[in-house]
Amino acid sequence: MKKTLFVSLSMIVMFACAQTKETTYTQKKVKNKFYWQQHADYTMDIDMNVNNYQYKGIQKLVYTNNSPDELNKVFYHLYFNAFQPGSQMDIRSLTIKDPDQRVGDRISKLKPDEIGYIKVNSLKQNGAVVTYETVGTILEVTLNKPIKSGESVTFDMLFEAQVPIQIRRSGRNSEENVALSMAQWYPKMAEYDFEGWHTPPYIAREFHGVWGNFDVTIHIDKKYTIGGTGYLQNPQEVGHGYEDKSKGLKLPKGEKLTWKFKAPRVHDFMWAADPEYIHDTYKMDNGIDLHFFYKKTLEEKFLKNWKELQPKTAELITYFSTNVGQYPYKQYSVIQGGDGGMEYAMSTLITGHRNFGSLFGVTAHEMAHTWFQFLLATNESLHPWMDEGFTSYISNKAENEILKEGKENPHSGSYRSYRGIVARGYEESLSTHSDRYETNWAYGTASYSKGNIFLSQLEYVIGAENVANGIKKYFADFSFKHPTPNDIKRSMEKVSGIHLDWYLNEWTQTTHTIDYGVKAVDGSIITLERIGQMPMPIDIEVVFTDGSTQEFNIPIEMMRGSKPTNATILQDWAWANPIYTFDVKKSVKSVMIDKSGLMADVNLENNSNLKKTR
């Protein structure tokens, strides 16, 4: 049953209790030297001027160095500085072969009152002024005293900023006329981990952050409604669909309202604001509240879709919690804003002028990012396929089940995209840094499509049940730890018992392709050939001349095992051998390699001894 309601006083109390429990989190001591995590607690107070889209900010950041290293410098991201003519994002968009149409040459044409910027006016370390320099989108800070291993320090900062016109992810006055999409809006401490500092300039790709607790106060024109990351602390003072009507409001006098949010154990904080937002709340049976913010000026057909989205979003949270791991927060917000769809902590920004299928699809994808980007949180600059690809995999499966689409392979679009880019000669290795791809096409196909196929094809290698259990183990073992490619491989190995170093190497660190063919059928003798460089186990369906059929599985030797299967398991195929011959003891009519279609073979024409394979 669909429920659109205001947050009750009891729910406010529950939120407060949830916060108390979550904010007392102390980092687990992880024995493995790679899995220590830095910690950053932010307290920020922001005064927004909605007339000129400028704001002033006060930031107190308590930073804990859990690394074994002594730090002499720290670095902050200043993302809004990318939206200025001549920035690296601008130049990259002007010079890449296939620029993002949302960016194009727009940054180069921005006027001074349309650009974005974040200017740091003062910075202190434990009360003493420190030296710093702004270099593009990075603030480089030279510390007065090193931060020793295990030590916490406090940074006090005053800054001012201007919101750029909406171009990419963040901005003001989007095409759908959403006033403020406030993502990447504050000076954000860069991540330091076992690989060192991660300080790439903001070109257009995505993010890597330090987990911590956020306490954010926003002063803004009282006509505006705010939604985003975190639990609202003062619903009775702001109204706008948060308050319990039976208790009445306690609105302060003046032109501005003060909004107070707290968000525990997140690595980013997004908010959006508009004077025309409708705010609906959908209460799930498990106590999680879903918040929806969308403009009341939407066409009737779009308003209807936003209402229908609400119970389906609850089904998504249940699906992801069941099939990946339990959602740990007490709310999630779906907010009209931005320029497409983009995930943030406890929330997402999506455009709202969509038919229902599109609206549900973008919500499914961006919500799934919560698990892979905000709870596992791989480094997207280095391994975007582990977020975008895995998110595509699980959201495709969720859509297929929840919307009852009945697709035999919900990932077929990824296979088409992958084969297309290989055929055109534009593929680049998944090990490429996300900013270094020669084309956006290569980045997108690698990160979304080939990253998705990493898991869907793994179903073919180790079995669907092992992949399902491997994902759960991966989440249980590596959530809140910024896992690396080896970690997903090890999770799958531990569940399946199959060695997968060859798979990780070939699929993610090379552009080797898979191409197996039926070379010859002579009576009962079948000869297969490996034409592509990447080895794979082979599933075969044989139809005999008497009309009977039999399934066979040929593991590759490097697997040191085989997947659970009802097929007849044959002798291993050593990868160095290009030819494999076996005798089925009966006269053969036809042979089909990989009837499931889960193996990303780049040439399907030779997968059968018959002319048409599928």
Side-chain angles (χ1 to χ4, degrees):
M1 179 178 179
K2 182 168 63 178
K3 303 176 185 177
T4 303
L5 47 91
F6 296 120
V7 181
S8 67
L9 184 59
S10 62
M11 285 305 299
I12 295 166
V13 171
M14 186 188 72
F15 284 167
C17 292
Q19 274 175 229
T20 301
K21 181 178 180 180
E22 289 172 289
T23 53
T24 57
Y25 159 77
T26 56
Q27 182 168 313
K28 291 182 180 179
K29 299 297 183 183
V30 182
K31 291 182 180 179
N32 190 311
K33 64 181 180 180
F34 292 151
Y35 295 106
W36 48 262
Q37 301 295 325
Q38 305 294 67
H39 192 81
D41 288 335
Y42 293 84
T43 301
M44 292 187 282
D45 193 294
I46 310 303
D47 190 12
M48 170 64 73
N49 184 333
V50 297
N51 297 314
N52 61 12
Y53 303 103
Q54 295 178 1
Y55 55 100
K56 296 183 183 298
I58 302 170
Q59 182 188 95
K60 180 183 292 292
L61 173 58
V62 180
Y63 183 72
T64 302
N65 178 18
N66 290 312
S67 81
D69 306 321
E70 190 173 272
L71 304 179
N72 296 302
K73 287 189 173 184
V74 297
F75 301 85
Y76 290 78
H77 295 281
L78 307 175
Y79 293 112
F80 274 6
N81 290 356
F83 300 99
Q84 299 175 13
S87 71
Q88 291 197 57
M89 182 187 283
D90 179 31
I91 300 302
R92 177 64 166 163
S93 185
L94 293 173
T95 56
I96 197 169
K97 293 178 181 179
D98 56 342
D100 187 320
Q101 293 181 355
R102 290 166 293 193
V103 182
D105 64 355
R106 293 176 65 202
I107 296 176
S108 68
K109 297 177 179 178
L110 291 177
K111 299 173 183 178
D113 64 346
E114 296 174 330
I115 68 170
Y117 62 75
I118 300 176
K119 297 178 181 178
V120 175
N121 295 326
S122 70
L123 181 61
K124 296 179 181 179
Q125 174 192 355
N126 289 338
V129 174
V130 292
T131 301
Y132 57 87
E133 180 183 5
T134 298
V135 182
T137 61
I138 297 295
L139 186 77
E140 302 177 353
V141 182
T142 301
L143 300 175
N144 295 327
K145 294 182 179 180
I147 308 174
K148 296 179 180 180
S149 177
E151 184 180 12
S152 296
V153 299
T154 299
F155 293 103
D156 289 292
M157 178 188 292
L158 298 178
F159 68 96
E160 58 185 271
Q162 179 171 283
V163 186
I165 63 171
Q166 184 76 45
I167 292 178
R168 194 67 188 96
R169 297 192 177 96
S170 312
R172 70 197 202 224
N173 302 325
S174 69
E175 284 190 3
E176 296 181 356
N177 202 31
V178 174
L180 291 167
S181 296
M182 297 295 290
Q184 293 81 58
W185 57 273
Y186 60 94
K188 180 179 179 181
M189 182 65 73
E191 178 66 282
Y192 183 83
D193 61 20
F194 72 97
E195 295 177 302
W197 284 104
H198 296 278
T199 58
Y202 183 35
I203 302 296
R205 302 303 182 207
E206 298 182 39
F207 313 101
H208 192 38
V210 186
W211 278 291
N213 303 310
F214 284 74
D215 186 333
V216 179
T217 299
I218 303 167
H219 310 278
I220 194 169
D221 186 294
K222 63 184 179 183
K223 299 185 188 70
Y224 283 66
T225 300
I226 295 179
T229 304
Y231 305 124
L232 182 65
Q233 301 298 291
N234 59 335
Q236 296 302 119
E237 295 178 7
V238 298
H240 293 277
Y242 286 97
E243 77 285 359
D244 181 347
K245 294 274 188 188
S246 66
K247 300 298 181 181
L249 296 179
K250 300 176 183 178
L251 297 179
K253 296 179 180 179
E255 294 301 314
K256 291 186 175 182
L257 290 178
T258 296
W259 299 68
K260 299 178 180 180
F261 294 93
K262 288 187 177 181
R265 207 180 179 191
V266 295
H267 64 74
D268 201 3
F269 190 102
M270 177 276 291
W271 58 281
D274 192 272
E276 296 179 339
Y277 271 153
I278 294 172
H279 173 203
D280 293 339
T281 303
Y282 184 97
K283 180 177 172 56
M284 295 180 62
D285 292 339
N286 60 6
I288 296 173
D289 269 11
L290 303 178
H291 294 266
F292 298 86
F293 299 85
Y294 53 100
K295 290 178 72 74
K296 62 186 177 184
T297 52
L298 285 172
E299 295 179 45
E300 186 62 35
K301 61 182 179 180
F302 297 136
L303 290 172
K304 180 175 180 290
N305 292 339
W306 276 84
K307 293 291 186 182
E308 293 180 357
L309 175 68
Q310 296 172 23
K312 292 298 183 185
T313 303
E315 292 184 53
L316 285 170
I317 281 212
T318 299
Y319 183 93
F320 298 140
S321 292
T322 301
N323 291 282
V324 184
Q326 182 58 48
Y327 182 71
Y329 308 110
K330 297 301 180 183
Q331 71 177 54
Y332 187 88
S333 296
V334 181
I335 305 168
Q336 183 185 357
D339 49 68
M342 181 61 197
E343 72 278 5
Y344 296 100
M346 303 170 65
S347 57
T348 182
L349 286 174
I350 61 174
T351 48
H353 293 181
R354 298 171 179 268
N355 62 40
F356 180 76
S358 175
L359 190 67
F360 178 79
V362 71
T363 301
H365 183 86
E366 304 310 334
M367 177 179 277
H369 273 296
T370 292
W371 281 259
F372 293 108
Q373 173 53 10
F374 285 94
L375 298 176
L376 285 156
T378 52
N379 183 346
E380 280 196 279
S381 291
L382 299 180
H383 315 296
W385 59 275
M386 293 182 69
D387 175 41
E388 294 295 355
F390 295 3
T391 290
S392 297
Y393 172 83
I394 202 68
S395 62
N396 287 347
K397 293 174 77 72
E399 288 182 65
N400 195 41
E401 178 171 310
I402 292 171
L403 296 184
K404 297 178 173 58
E405 294 174 332
K407 295 178 180 177
E408 186 173 348
N409 181 4
H411 317 293
S412 57
S414 290
Y415 285 80
R416 287 193 298 271
S417 296
Y418 166 67
R419 290 183 177 117
I421 202 168
V422 169
R424 294 281 297 277
Y426 280 86
E427 186 196 7
E428 297 179 54
S429 168
L430 289 186
S431 62
T432 306
H433 189 285
S434 64
D435 289 326
R436 311 293 197 274
Y437 281 88
E438 188 173 354
T439 63
N440 279 315
W441 182 28
Y443 164 80
T445 304
S447 301
Y448 291 79
S449 300
K450 199 173 180 184
N452 179 5
I453 296 170
F454 179 90
L455 289 179
S456 61
Q457 185 172 246
L458 205 53
E459 292 184 12
Y460 173 80
V461 176
I462 67 174
E465 185 175 353
N466 277 333
V467 171
N469 290 332
I471 289 172
K472 293 175 186 177
K473 180 170 181 56
Y474 173 57
F475 181 83
D477 289 351
F478 296 107
S479 55
F480 296 102
K481 294 178 185 175
H482 294 306
T484 65
N486 189 63
D487 297 323
I488 182 65
K489 184 207 76 164
R490 290 294 292 133
S491 293
M492 294 296 174
E493 286 182 331
K494 289 175 181 178
V495 165
S496 69
I498 293 172
H499 294 195
L500 293 169
D501 53 341
W502 61 274
Y503 183 72
L504 181 69
N505 172 265
E506 295 275 347
W507 193 248
T508 71
Q509 298 172 31
T510 77
T511 54
H512 293 172
T513 57
I514 302 165
D515 184 8
Y516 280 87
V518 180
K519 185 175 178 65
V521 175
D522 183 7
S524 65
I525 307 297
I526 298 170
T527 300
L528 307 178
E529 62 179 335
R530 177 181 58 77
I531 303 161
Q533 290 175 284
M534 180 170 174
M536 285 287 285
I538 301 298
D539 286 344
I540 307 157
E541 181 186 67
V542 176
V543 178
F544 299 104
T545 54
D546 64 6
S548 63
T549 64
Q550 188 172 358
E551 307 284 339
F552 295 91
N553 173 260
I554 308 172
I556 55 173
E557 186 181 88
M558 294 182 294
M559 294 169 62
R560 310 298 171 192
S562 61
K563 68 180 176 183
T565 179
N566 293 322
T568 300
I569 299 176
L570 301 176
Q571 182 178 348
D572 293 351
W573 187 339
W575 77 267
N577 296 335
I579 302 297
Y580 185 97
T581 300
F582 62 105
D583 187 351
V584 293
K585 309 298 185 183
K586 290 174 65 175
S587 178
V588 174
K589 176 182 179 182
S590 66
V591 178
M592 166 69 77
I593 294 174
D594 181 28
K595 184 173 68 173
S596 73
L598 291 176
M599 184 171 70
D601 193 311
V602 296
N603 177 19
L604 300 179
E605 294 302 315
N606 60 5
N607 282 27
S608 173
N609 62 322
L610 303 180
K611 287 248 179 175
K612 189 172 182 179
T613 61
R614 51 180 176 267

